[in-house]
Amino acid sequence: MATSTVQETAAPYLAQSQAEETQYISFEMFEQKYLTRDDGFKYEWNNGIVEKSPAMRTEELFIIEHLMDLFYQLKKKVGGVLTSEIEQWILPTKYRIPDLAYFTKDQIKKGKEGQRPVSEFMIEIISEYDQMNIIQKKIAEYFEAKVKVVWLILPQYNMVYVYTSPTEVKICADDTLCSAESVIEGFSIKANDLFKID
């Protein structure tokens, strides 16, 4: 098969790896070689190309805590689960692991039956090492797969980009309300409350 670049998006010190030539790999090889790694990075498979990015960090736990607290207040009413880093086949050749994703009870049942449901609400927490061209590509893929809401959380700037399509975005900061209510009824939070440290 032809060769292609392995995408290394984790940090500037990995930039030399971007130029490495490697063969396209099958998903089976990707599973064997990359999904067993415990090195602090997240690996995704994009049509034969391995994309590497930072996994969630302990510095981001307070953000996840606020999101989980909000969800658990709504859980009895809405059902389902908001969970971190669950594999998703966004498209037939694109295996992604969003930082957080919401699954309905029906999707949980389908997953148990061996189907591959795609969340309608996904969250990516953006670090200084993420490359926006890769992130924008993911956003386009998510909406192609019928995702309804994507949040990009930027802890460095205390901002959230709330996408409802690849070209429609609301930037939340300070007292602006970040919402995913089109997917989870009642799921909205002010940017200030998301980024506060108790």
Side-chain angles (χ1 to χ4, degrees):
M1 285 181 113
T3 60
S4 180
T5 303
V6 172
Q7 302 288 330
E8 299 278 9
T9 62
Y13 59 81
L14 293 172
Q16 70 270 13
S17 298
Q18 289 180 322
E20 285 181 16
E21 290 294 318
T22 187
Q23 290 187 344
Y24 281 100
I25 66 170
S26 67
F27 183 73
E28 292 73 21
M29 181 66 72
F30 169 77
E31 280 185 300
Q32 292 172 15
K33 190 172 179 183
Y34 292 96
L35 293 189
T36 55
R37 293 189 182 190
D38 184 18
D39 58 3
F41 295 99
K42 178 169 67 175
Y43 296 91
E44 297 174 317
W45 185 80
N46 183 356
N47 200 22
I49 298 171
V50 177
E51 293 180 350
K52 177 180 179 179
S53 60
M56 287 191 292
R57 302 177 303 173
T58 52
E59 294 93 331
E60 298 158 351
L61 281 173
F62 75 100
I63 295 169
I64 295 163
E65 179 185 29
H66 291 313
L67 293 169
M68 292 301 188
D69 285 349
L70 172 61
F71 179 72
Y72 285 122
Q73 291 171 26
L74 304 168
K75 183 170 172 54
K76 273 191 180 177
K77 182 177 174 183
V78 300
V81 64
L82 180 67
T83 188
S84 61
E85 297 193 341
I86 292 293
E87 63 180 16
Q88 294 190 58
W89 283 94
I90 300 302
L91 297 166
T93 60
K94 297 185 186 295
Y95 172 91
R96 296 296 190 190
I97 307 173
D99 291 333
L100 292 161
Y102 169 71
F103 294 92
T104 64
K105 283 185 177 181
D106 185 54
Q107 288 178 315
I108 293 167
K109 183 180 176 186
K110 287 178 179 175
K112 187 177 180 183
E113 293 168 352
Q115 297 182 45
R116 294 175 171 171
V118 175
S119 169
E120 292 185 338
F121 173 42
M122 299 191 190
I123 298 171
E124 298 283 3
I125 300 175
I126 307 303
S127 80
E128 65 270 31
Y129 303 123
D130 282 302
Q131 294 182 8
M132 284 310 293
N133 61 327
I134 301 292
I135 297 300
Q136 289 298 325
K137 194 179 354 173
K138 281 188 187 183
I139 290 170
E141 292 170 9
Y142 290 165
F143 284 104
E144 188 179 345
K146 309 300 184 207
V147 175
K148 291 182 178 174
V149 182
V150 177
W151 285 12
L152 298 187
I153 298 177
L154 287 75
Q156 278 188 297
Y157 303 102
N158 288 358
M159 296 171 73
V160 181
Y161 285 41
V162 177
Y163 284 84
T164 50
S165 84
T167 56
E168 293 178 41
V169 60
K170 176 181 178 181
I171 300 174
C172 302
D174 303 322
D175 285 331
T176 309
L177 205 59
C178 312
S179 173
E181 292 205 55
S182 62
V183 178
I184 308 173
E185 186 181 349
F187 197 94
S188 60
I189 187 170
K190 290 180 179 177
N192 278 344
D193 291 334
L194 180 60
F195 293 110
K196 73 180 179 185
I197 299 177
D198 298 325

